[in-house]
Amino acid sequence: MAFFSQPTRLRRQLLAALLTAALPVLSAAQSGFPERPITFVVPFAAGSATDQLARALGGAVSEQTKQPVVVDNKAGASGMLAAQSVARAPADGYTVLIATNTTQAANEHLFKKLAYDPVKDFAPVTGLAKGGQVLVVRSDSPYKTAAELVAAARKQPGKLSFASGSASSRVAGEMFKQLTGTDILHVPYKSNPNALTDLIGGQVDFMIPDTATGVPQIKGGKLRALGVSTTQRIALLADVPTLDEAGVKGYDMSYWFAAYLPAHTPPAIVARVHELLLNATRSAGVKSFNDSTGTTAWTCTPEELGRFQASESLKWGKVIKAAGIEPE
């Protein structure tokens, strides 16, 4: 009996130790989490659509938890700086990536080497919102329609330029070139707000930003909208045709936001963050963001987000290849 009792005792001791180690994590997720401030890492600059949504979500999460939510803008490198920082953060639920299709679906097709793995380095939490884009020129631009812009680009190959501050705006511009058969110079920026500043200042000819960034400038009279990227018109810009209607046949682009935690975050913590964000998407602040920017609330389970991301990666890969974009 003594021969078998010692291993049995060791197994029991080991099991007890593992359960004891797990208890703090489980109890924190189920009752006390969060016990300190949470950081929302945003891949783009202040004022960007992702930043606006993150701040609205942060306010709602803070109201639920009575803990501060810090928004940390890590703009640059097409969102890679932010994604890499979250991938390397402790897997404890206190660092959340407010991601987009740029970081999680498009970058792997735009760059030969990433400093992070968009799948292996993250634990999906939930979708947050979806939206469309809008082709804009400055308010005093000579181009009144998309057709006039296309005609000018064909007449002056390589002379016109478009700006982009995210993979979505970059690919949107490249798709415009591909579908219109034009040669237009691409000018990259760290974030869409920076690009819009130069567009308004006359440094570039047009861009196709997300509606959250573009609509305020359109409503403020600084930009003129020539077409929206979706197959249906956007309610906020009801008088603006789709690009397909405007003559760029087959044009269809949209974007999305989602939340991710570092890989290996305990499932109980993931579930708790999912619960907090799900409630936050129903808050007045997030509803105001969606209503004012033309975006639509979108939530899902972590498993559904993982499957959606996989399908989106395939989609963006095809779009990028069709647009003739070579990985950098």
Side-chain angles (χ1 to χ4, degrees):
M1 293 293 292
F3 179 81
F4 293 102
S5 63
Q6 187 174 7
T8 300
R9 285 198 299 272
L10 287 175
R11 286 197 294 271
R12 287 174 179 170
Q13 290 170 355
L14 178 60
L15 180 59
L18 290 173
L19 288 173
T20 301
L23 283 176
V25 174
L26 292 173
S27 62
Q30 293 168 348
S31 59
F33 181 89
E35 298 178 325
R36 54 186 171 84
I38 296 174
T39 298
F40 283 179
V41 179
V42 174
F44 306 107
S48 64
T50 319
D51 173 74
Q52 294 177 52
L53 177 57
R55 293 181 189 278
L57 290 165
V61 169
S62 185
E63 285 184 12
Q64 295 176 68
T65 62
K66 310 307 177 188
Q67 291 287 350
V69 174
V70 179
V71 175
D72 183 8
N73 298 92
K74 291 186 181 297
S78 192
M80 287 190 280
L81 299 180
Q84 182 181 6
S85 72
V86 174
R88 295 179 176 179
D92 56 10
Y94 287 95
T95 306
V96 184
L97 178 65
I98 305 300
T100 71
N101 44 271
T102 290
T103 58
Q104 306 308 107
N107 276 352
E108 62 180 308
H109 305 289
L110 291 171
F111 299 93
K112 293 178 180 178
K113 185 177 181 180
L114 290 182
Y116 67 96
D117 188 304
V119 175
K120 294 180 181 179
D121 287 343
F122 300 95
V125 180
T126 182
L128 298 169
K130 292 181 179 180
Q133 294 159 269
V134 55
L135 190 159
V136 291
V137 296
R138 63 183 184 276
S139 57
D140 61 349
S141 169
Y143 313 118
K144 302 293 194 302
T145 66
E148 290 180 1
L149 178 63
V150 171
R154 287 174 176 164
K155 187 176 181 181
Q156 309 170 72
K159 298 296 183 182
L160 270 62
S161 60
F162 80 93
S164 76
S166 69
S168 295
S169 58
R170 163 78 187 280
V171 175
E174 296 288 357
M175 179 182 283
F176 182 84
K177 288 171 52 179
Q178 192 247 340
L179 291 178
T180 58
T182 52
D183 178 10
I184 304 171
L185 176 67
H186 169 236
V187 183
Y189 288 82
K190 285 186 176 181
S191 199
N192 280 342
N194 309 100
L196 282 174
T197 297
D198 273 10
L199 174 61
I200 294 169
Q203 304 303 311
V204 290
D205 295 297
F206 75 96
M207 72 175 294
I208 308 178
D210 50 80
T211 54
T213 310
V215 167
Q217 303 296 340
I218 295 167
K219 299 295 186 183
K222 294 182 178 180
L223 293 176
R224 176 187 301 139
L226 304 186
V228 295
S229 69
T230 47
T231 56
Q232 300 293 324
R233 293 197 182 196
I234 295 172
L236 271 179
L237 301 169
D239 59 338
V240 178
T242 67
L243 283 170
D244 183 84
E245 289 176 322
V248 188
K249 295 302 179 181
Y251 199 101
D252 180 17
M253 280 285 292
S254 59
Y255 65 93
W256 47 268
F257 307 97
Y260 292 80
L261 289 165
H264 310 301
T265 299
I269 296 285
V270 175
R272 175 60 174 153
V273 176
H274 178 271
E275 176 189 23
L276 292 172
L277 288 172
L278 199 66
N279 292 335
T281 60
R282 302 170 183 144
S283 68
V286 174
K287 186 177 185 303
S288 176
F289 166 82
N290 289 330
D291 290 345
S292 64
T293 59
T295 52
T296 304
W298 162 60
T299 59
C300 58
T301 67
E303 294 76 19
E304 288 170 341
L305 178 56
R307 291 192 293 270
F308 175 79
Q309 180 185 349
S311 67
E312 282 290 290
S313 177
L314 291 173
K315 169 189 166 183
W316 280 83
K318 291 178 181 178
V319 170
I320 289 167
K321 185 176 181 179
I325 304 173
E326 292 294 330
E328 297 176 5

